[in-house]
């Protein structure tokens, strides 16, 4: 029961000039059926391997997460301040509205400083 040697695969390029390479997958590989999978003896490796998806740089990840939390809290503060400032402006209290506008500008500068803090993380 010796199996016939498998012929080498031809080089594949999308849109190849050789017609037999442009056939649909089910015609190129008739032995692979939709039910092929974990029970197929030809499938030796079922995933990317051990350690895949693990954090490679935990210090960098924690630093980025901390910056994201800071930036999101500033954005929430900006939305709240914008609401208060617009309400005060509509009530005619322009002095308080200018303080609110100053707070909005300052919080924008804080987010900009967080962004400029570490240019290699962009």
């Amino acid at each position: 029961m010796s199996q016939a040697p498998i012929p080498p695969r031809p080089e594949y390029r999308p849109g190849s000039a050789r017609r037999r390479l442009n056939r649909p997958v089910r015609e190129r590989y008739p032995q692979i059926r939709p039910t092929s999978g974990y029970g197929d003896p030809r499938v030796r490796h079922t995933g990317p391997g051990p350690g895949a998806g693990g954090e490679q740089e935990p210090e960098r990840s924690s630093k980025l997460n901390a910056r994201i939390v800071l930036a999101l809290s500033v954005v929430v503060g900006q939305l709240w301040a914008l609401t208060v400032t617009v309400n005060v402006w509509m009530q005619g209290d322009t002095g308080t509205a200018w303080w609110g506008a100053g707070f909005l500008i300052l919080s924008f500068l804080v987010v900009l400083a967080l962004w400029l803090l570490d240019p290699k993380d962009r």
Side-chain angles (χ1 to χ4, degrees), residues 65-83 100-115:
N65 285 338
R67 262 194 243 156
I68 288 171
V69 168
L70 284 172
L72 287 177
S73 63
V74 169
V75 167
V76 168
Q78 283 179 325
L79 291 173
W80 170 79
L82 183 63
T83 303
F103 174 79
L104 287 170
I105 291 169
L106 181 66
S107 62
F108 173 76
L109 293 175
V110 167
V111 171
L112 187 63
L114 286 172
W115 183 72

Side-chain angles (χ1 to χ4, degrees), residues 35-48:
T35 56
S36 294
Y38 67 91
D40 192 336
R42 292 167 296 169
V43 177
R44 296 195 200 314
H45 304 287
T46 59

Side-chain angles (χ1 to χ4, degrees), residues 1-105:
M1 288 186 113
S2 68
Q3 293 179 340
I6 299 172
R9 290 186 186 172
E11 183 181 342
Y12 173 72
R13 288 189 204 103
S16 177
R18 296 190 283 185
R19 284 193 54 189
R20 70 186 188 98
L21 297 179
N22 290 327
R23 296 176 297 167
V25 172
R26 67 181 177 279
E27 290 178 18
R28 280 186 278 154
Y29 304 103
Q31 73 274 21
I32 297 179
R33 295 174 192 83
T35 56
S36 294
Y38 67 91
D40 192 336
R42 292 167 296 169
V43 177
R44 296 195 200 314
H45 304 287
T46 59
E55 185 56 54
Q56 303 297 323
E57 298 179 56
E59 294 85 12
R60 180 175 179 266
S61 176
S62 63
K63 184 169 55 170
L64 289 174
N65 285 338
R67 262 194 243 156
I68 288 171
V69 168
L70 284 172
L72 287 177
S73 63
V74 169
V75 167
V76 168
Q78 283 179 325
L79 291 173
W80 170 79
L82 183 63
T83 303
V84 170
T85 302
V86 169
N87 283 340
V88 169
W89 181 270
M90 292 301 219
Q91 291 172 357
D93 189 1
T94 56
T96 306
W98 283 113
W99 278 107
F103 174 79
L104 287 170
I105 291 169

